[in-house]
Amino acid sequence: QVQLVESGGGLVQPGGSLRLSCAASRNTFTFSAMGWYRQAPGKQRELVAEITFDSRTNYADSVKGRFTISRDSAKNTVYLQMNSLKPEDTAVYYCKGRSRGDYWGQGTQVTVSS
């Protein structure tokens, strides 16, 4: 059974930074892609950033230049470094692994507010 566990969310002021972590129960390179998604109240879940098995990355236009996805293969962990945070980044952030189906973590709340 694949497990993905997110951590690192919290309350941050506008302009601040957070780093989210997604710890996987197996090597992240065994997934065809791993990504971060977010869902704000009343909105659909959307892709934030994705990294493929061959380390190609893809970002939503709204976060380009501010967020960076990366991984530490030794720790089976994918990160999302979020800088210059805005109130509109407030959402529950989910980690997803794609491998003959989609696996989701439980989510971590990110709130950007003064």
Short mmCIF file of all heavy atoms in Angstrom, two decimals, residues 51-92:
data_model
loop_
_atom_site.label_atom_id
_atom_site.label_comp_id
_atom_site.label_asym_id
_atom_site.label_seq_id
_atom_site.Cartn_x
_atom_site.Cartn_y
_atom_site.Cartn_z
N ILE A 51 6.80 16.96 -10.79
CA ILE A 51 8.13 16.52 -11.20
C ILE A 51 8.02 15.09 -11.70
O ILE A 51 7.40 14.25 -11.03
CB ILE A 51 9.16 16.67 -10.05
CG1 ILE A 51 10.57 16.34 -10.52
CG2 ILE A 51 8.77 15.83 -8.83
CD1 ILE A 51 11.66 16.79 -9.56
N THR A 52 8.57 14.82 -12.88
CA THR A 52 8.46 13.49 -13.46
C THR A 52 9.61 12.59 -13.03
O THR A 52 10.56 13.04 -12.39
CB THR A 52 8.43 13.59 -14.99
OG1 THR A 52 9.69 14.12 -15.44
CG2 THR A 52 7.31 14.51 -15.46
N PHE A 53 9.51 11.32 -13.41
CA PHE A 53 10.54 10.35 -13.03
C PHE A 53 11.91 10.76 -13.57
O PHE A 53 12.94 10.44 -12.97
CB PHE A 53 10.17 8.96 -13.52
CG PHE A 53 10.30 8.78 -15.00
CD1 PHE A 53 11.43 8.22 -15.56
CD2 PHE A 53 9.29 9.22 -15.85
CE1 PHE A 53 11.55 8.05 -16.92
CE2 PHE A 53 9.41 9.08 -17.22
CZ PHE A 53 10.55 8.49 -17.76
N ASP A 54 11.92 11.48 -14.71
CA ASP A 54 13.18 11.92 -15.31
C ASP A 54 13.47 13.38 -14.97
O ASP A 54 14.22 14.05 -15.67
CB ASP A 54 13.18 11.70 -16.82
CG ASP A 54 12.01 12.36 -17.51
OD1 ASP A 54 11.12 12.88 -16.82
OD2 ASP A 54 11.97 12.35 -18.76
N SER A 55 12.82 13.86 -13.88
CA SER A 55 13.12 15.16 -13.28
C SER A 55 12.71 16.37 -14.09
O SER A 55 13.20 17.47 -13.85
CB SER A 55 14.60 15.25 -12.89
OG SER A 55 14.93 14.24 -11.96
N ARG A 56 11.80 16.18 -15.06
CA ARG A 56 11.21 17.36 -15.70
C ARG A 56 10.20 17.96 -14.74
O ARG A 56 9.53 17.24 -14.00
CB ARG A 56 10.55 16.96 -17.02
CG ARG A 56 11.54 16.62 -18.13
CD ARG A 56 10.84 16.17 -19.40
NE ARG A 56 10.21 14.87 -19.23
CZ ARG A 56 8.90 14.66 -19.32
NH1 ARG A 56 8.08 15.67 -19.58
NH2 ARG A 56 8.41 13.46 -19.17
N THR A 57 10.10 19.29 -14.76
CA THR A 57 9.17 19.97 -13.86
C THR A 57 8.15 20.78 -14.64
O THR A 57 8.39 21.21 -15.77
CB THR A 57 9.91 20.90 -12.88
OG1 THR A 57 10.69 21.84 -13.63
CG2 THR A 57 10.82 20.10 -11.96
N ASN A 58 7.01 20.98 -14.00
CA ASN A 58 5.92 21.73 -14.61
C ASN A 58 5.25 22.52 -13.50
O ASN A 58 5.04 21.99 -12.40
CB ASN A 58 4.92 20.76 -15.26
CG ASN A 58 3.75 21.47 -15.88
OD1 ASN A 58 3.92 22.50 -16.53
ND2 ASN A 58 2.56 20.93 -15.70
N TYR A 59 4.93 23.79 -13.78
CA TYR A 59 4.34 24.66 -12.77
C TYR A 59 3.09 25.35 -13.30
O TYR A 59 3.00 25.68 -14.49
CB TYR A 59 5.33 25.75 -12.34
CG TYR A 59 6.57 25.24 -11.65
CD1 TYR A 59 7.72 24.95 -12.37
CD2 TYR A 59 6.58 25.04 -10.27
CE1 TYR A 59 8.85 24.47 -11.73
CE2 TYR A 59 7.71 24.58 -9.62
CZ TYR A 59 8.84 24.29 -10.36
OH TYR A 59 9.96 23.82 -9.72
N ALA A 60 2.17 25.60 -12.40
CA ALA A 60 1.04 26.45 -12.74
C ALA A 60 1.56 27.86 -12.98
O ALA A 60 2.51 28.31 -12.31
CB ALA A 60 0.02 26.46 -11.60
N ASP A 61 0.94 28.57 -13.90
CA ASP A 61 1.39 29.93 -14.22
C ASP A 61 1.37 30.82 -12.98
O ASP A 61 2.23 31.70 -12.83
CB ASP A 61 0.50 30.54 -15.30
CG ASP A 61 0.75 29.93 -16.67
OD1 ASP A 61 1.80 29.29 -16.86
OD2 ASP A 61 -0.12 30.10 -17.55
N SER A 62 0.43 30.59 -12.10
CA SER A 62 0.26 31.46 -10.94
C SER A 62 1.40 31.34 -9.92
O SER A 62 1.54 32.20 -9.05
CB SER A 62 -1.07 31.16 -10.25
OG SER A 62 -1.11 29.80 -9.83
N VAL A 63 2.21 30.27 -10.03
CA VAL A 63 3.28 30.07 -9.05
C VAL A 63 4.67 30.10 -9.67
O VAL A 63 5.67 30.02 -8.94
CB VAL A 63 3.09 28.76 -8.25
CG1 VAL A 63 1.70 28.69 -7.64
CG2 VAL A 63 3.36 27.54 -9.12
N LYS A 64 4.76 30.22 -10.98
CA LYS A 64 6.06 30.24 -11.64
C LYS A 64 6.92 31.37 -11.11
O LYS A 64 6.45 32.49 -10.96
CB LYS A 64 5.88 30.38 -13.15
CG LYS A 64 5.44 29.11 -13.85
CD LYS A 64 5.31 29.32 -15.35
CE LYS A 64 4.87 28.04 -16.04
NZ LYS A 64 4.65 28.24 -17.49
N GLY A 65 8.16 31.04 -10.81
CA GLY A 65 9.08 32.04 -10.27
C GLY A 65 9.01 32.19 -8.77
O GLY A 65 9.87 32.85 -8.17
N ARG A 66 8.00 31.61 -8.14
CA ARG A 66 7.84 31.70 -6.68
C ARG A 66 7.98 30.35 -5.99
O ARG A 66 8.49 30.28 -4.87
CB ARG A 66 6.48 32.30 -6.33
CG ARG A 66 6.25 33.69 -6.88
CD ARG A 66 4.97 34.32 -6.31
NE ARG A 66 3.78 33.56 -6.68
CZ ARG A 66 2.91 33.05 -5.80
NH1 ARG A 66 3.11 33.21 -4.51
NH2 ARG A 66 1.84 32.40 -6.21
N PHE A 67 7.50 29.29 -6.64
CA PHE A 67 7.52 27.96 -6.04
C PHE A 67 8.53 27.08 -6.78
O PHE A 67 8.71 27.22 -7.99
CB PHE A 67 6.14 27.29 -6.15
CG PHE A 67 5.06 27.91 -5.31
CD1 PHE A 67 5.23 29.11 -4.64
CD2 PHE A 67 3.84 27.25 -5.17
CE1 PHE A 67 4.23 29.66 -3.86
CE2 PHE A 67 2.83 27.79 -4.39
CZ PHE A 67 3.01 28.99 -3.74
N THR A 68 9.12 26.15 -6.03
CA THR A 68 10.06 25.22 -6.63
C THR A 68 9.80 23.82 -6.08
O THR A 68 9.75 23.63 -4.86
CB THR A 68 11.51 25.61 -6.31
OG1 THR A 68 11.77 26.94 -6.78
CG2 THR A 68 12.49 24.65 -7.00
N ILE A 69 9.64 22.86 -6.98
CA ILE A 69 9.47 21.48 -6.58
C ILE A 69 10.81 20.77 -6.72
O ILE A 69 11.57 21.01 -7.67
CB ILE A 69 8.37 20.77 -7.42
CG1 ILE A 69 8.05 19.39 -6.85
CG2 ILE A 69 8.74 20.70 -8.90
CD1 ILE A 69 6.80 18.75 -7.46
N SER A 70 11.10 19.89 -5.76
CA SER A 70 12.36 19.16 -5.79
C SER A 70 12.18 17.85 -5.04
O SER A 70 11.12 17.61 -4.44
CB SER A 70 13.49 19.98 -5.15
OG SER A 70 13.22 20.22 -3.79
N ARG A 71 13.20 17.01 -5.09
CA ARG A 71 13.10 15.76 -4.35
C ARG A 71 14.45 15.38 -3.75
O ARG A 71 15.50 15.78 -4.25
CB ARG A 71 12.58 14.62 -5.22
CG ARG A 71 13.57 14.15 -6.25
CD ARG A 71 13.08 12.86 -6.89
NE ARG A 71 13.14 12.98 -8.34
CZ ARG A 71 12.17 12.62 -9.17
NH1 ARG A 71 11.05 12.13 -8.70
NH2 ARG A 71 12.32 12.77 -10.45
N ASP A 72 14.37 14.58 -2.69
CA ASP A 72 15.53 13.97 -2.08
C ASP A 72 15.31 12.47 -2.17
O ASP A 72 14.52 11.91 -1.38
CB ASP A 72 15.68 14.44 -0.63
CG ASP A 72 16.95 13.91 0.03
OD1 ASP A 72 17.43 12.83 -0.38
OD2 ASP A 72 17.43 14.56 0.96
N SER A 73 15.97 11.81 -3.10
CA SER A 73 15.71 10.39 -3.33
C SER A 73 16.13 9.54 -2.14
O SER A 73 15.51 8.51 -1.87
CB SER A 73 16.42 9.92 -4.60
OG SER A 73 17.81 10.15 -4.50
N ALA A 74 17.13 9.98 -1.41
CA ALA A 74 17.58 9.21 -0.25
C ALA A 74 16.53 9.19 0.85
O ALA A 74 16.49 8.25 1.65
CB ALA A 74 18.89 9.78 0.27
N LYS A 75 15.70 10.22 0.89
CA LYS A 75 14.66 10.32 1.92
C LYS A 75 13.28 9.98 1.38
O LYS A 75 12.30 10.09 2.11
CB LYS A 75 14.66 11.73 2.52
CG LYS A 75 15.94 12.10 3.25
CD LYS A 75 15.85 13.50 3.84
CE LYS A 75 17.12 13.83 4.60
NZ LYS A 75 17.07 15.21 5.18
N ASN A 76 13.19 9.60 0.11
CA ASN A 76 11.88 9.31 -0.51
C ASN A 76 10.92 10.47 -0.31
O ASN A 76 9.73 10.27 0.02
CB ASN A 76 11.27 8.02 0.06
CG ASN A 76 12.05 6.78 -0.33
OD1 ASN A 76 12.89 6.82 -1.23
ND2 ASN A 76 11.78 5.69 0.34
N THR A 77 11.41 11.68 -0.48
CA THR A 77 10.63 12.87 -0.16
C THR A 77 10.65 13.86 -1.31
O THR A 77 11.69 14.07 -1.94
CB THR A 77 11.16 13.54 1.13
OG1 THR A 77 11.05 12.60 2.21
CG2 THR A 77 10.37 14.79 1.48
N VAL A 78 9.50 14.45 -1.56
CA VAL A 78 9.36 15.53 -2.53
C VAL A 78 9.01 16.80 -1.76
O VAL A 78 8.21 16.76 -0.82
CB VAL A 78 8.27 15.21 -3.57
CG1 VAL A 78 8.02 16.40 -4.48
CG2 VAL A 78 8.67 13.99 -4.38
N TYR A 79 9.62 17.90 -2.17
CA TYR A 79 9.41 19.17 -1.48
C TYR A 79 8.74 20.18 -2.38
O TYR A 79 8.84 20.11 -3.61
CB TYR A 79 10.76 19.74 -1.02
CG TYR A 79 11.55 18.83 -0.12
CD1 TYR A 79 12.59 18.05 -0.61
CD2 TYR A 79 11.25 18.76 1.24
CE1 TYR A 79 13.31 17.21 0.22
CE2 TYR A 79 11.97 17.92 2.08
CZ TYR A 79 13.00 17.15 1.57
OH TYR A 79 13.71 16.32 2.40
N LEU A 80 8.09 21.14 -1.76
CA LEU A 80 7.59 22.31 -2.47
C LEU A 80 8.04 23.53 -1.67
O LEU A 80 7.52 23.79 -0.58
CB LEU A 80 6.07 22.29 -2.61
CG LEU A 80 5.49 23.44 -3.43
CD1 LEU A 80 5.91 23.31 -4.90
CD2 LEU A 80 3.96 23.49 -3.31
N GLN A 81 9.03 24.23 -2.21
CA GLN A 81 9.48 25.47 -1.59
C GLN A 81 8.62 26.60 -2.12
O GLN A 81 8.54 26.82 -3.33
CB GLN A 81 10.95 25.73 -1.93
CG GLN A 81 11.48 27.04 -1.38
CD GLN A 81 11.55 27.06 0.14
OE1 GLN A 81 11.99 26.09 0.76
NE2 GLN A 81 11.15 28.16 0.75
N MET A 82 7.97 27.30 -1.22
CA MET A 82 7.04 28.37 -1.59
C MET A 82 7.55 29.69 -1.05
O MET A 82 7.67 29.85 0.17
CB MET A 82 5.64 28.07 -1.05
CG MET A 82 5.10 26.70 -1.46
SD MET A 82 3.39 26.44 -0.95
CE MET A 82 3.56 26.45 0.83
N ASN A 83 7.87 30.59 -1.95
CA ASN A 83 8.37 31.92 -1.58
C ASN A 83 7.39 32.99 -2.04
O ASN A 83 6.53 32.73 -2.88
CB ASN A 83 9.74 32.16 -2.20
CG ASN A 83 10.80 31.17 -1.74
OD1 ASN A 83 10.76 30.70 -0.60
ND2 ASN A 83 11.74 30.86 -2.61
N SER A 84 7.55 34.17 -1.50
CA SER A 84 6.70 35.31 -1.88
C SER A 84 5.22 34.93 -1.85
O SER A 84 4.47 35.20 -2.80
CB SER A 84 7.09 35.82 -3.28
OG SER A 84 8.45 36.19 -3.33
N LEU A 85 4.81 34.33 -0.78
CA LEU A 85 3.45 33.83 -0.67
C LEU A 85 2.43 34.96 -0.67
O LEU A 85 2.68 36.06 -0.14
CB LEU A 85 3.30 32.97 0.58
CG LEU A 85 3.88 31.56 0.43
CD1 LEU A 85 4.14 30.92 1.79
CD2 LEU A 85 2.95 30.68 -0.40
N LYS A 86 1.29 34.67 -1.28
CA LYS A 86 0.20 35.63 -1.40
C LYS A 86 -1.04 35.07 -0.73
O LYS A 86 -1.19 33.84 -0.61
CB LYS A 86 -0.10 35.88 -2.88
CG LYS A 86 1.08 36.34 -3.71
CD LYS A 86 0.70 36.45 -5.17
CE LYS A 86 1.89 36.87 -6.03
NZ LYS A 86 1.53 36.97 -7.47
N PRO A 87 -1.96 35.92 -0.33
CA PRO A 87 -3.21 35.42 0.27
C PRO A 87 -3.94 34.41 -0.62
O PRO A 87 -4.55 33.46 -0.12
CB PRO A 87 -4.03 36.69 0.48
CG PRO A 87 -3.01 37.76 0.67
CD PRO A 87 -1.88 37.39 -0.25
N GLU A 88 -3.85 34.60 -1.92
CA GLU A 88 -4.52 33.68 -2.84
C GLU A 88 -3.85 32.30 -2.92
O GLU A 88 -4.38 31.39 -3.57
CB GLU A 88 -4.63 34.28 -4.25
CG GLU A 88 -3.33 34.82 -4.83
CD GLU A 88 -3.18 36.32 -4.61
OE1 GLU A 88 -3.49 36.82 -3.49
OE2 GLU A 88 -2.73 36.99 -5.57
N ASP A 89 -2.72 32.13 -2.26
CA ASP A 89 -2.10 30.80 -2.16
C ASP A 89 -2.71 29.97 -1.04
O ASP A 89 -2.38 28.80 -0.88
CB ASP A 89 -0.59 30.93 -1.93
CG ASP A 89 0.15 31.56 -3.09
OD1 ASP A 89 -0.16 31.21 -4.25
OD2 ASP A 89 1.02 32.41 -2.85
N THR A 90 -3.57 30.59 -0.26
CA THR A 90 -4.22 29.88 0.84
C THR A 90 -5.06 28.72 0.31
O THR A 90 -5.91 28.90 -0.56
CB THR A 90 -5.12 30.85 1.64
OG1 THR A 90 -4.29 31.83 2.27
CG2 THR A 90 -5.91 30.09 2.70
N ALA A 91 -4.79 27.54 0.82
CA ALA A 91 -5.48 26.34 0.36
C ALA A 91 -4.98 25.14 1.17
O ALA A 91 -4.01 25.25 1.93
CB ALA A 91 -5.21 26.09 -1.12
N VAL A 92 -5.65 24.02 0.97
CA VAL A 92 -5.10 22.75 1.43
C VAL A 92 -4.24 22.21 0.30
O VAL A 92 -4.69 22.13 -0.85
CB VAL A 92 -6.21 21.74 1.79
CG1 VAL A 92 -5.59 20.41 2.23
CG2 VAL A 92 -7.09 22.30 2.90
#
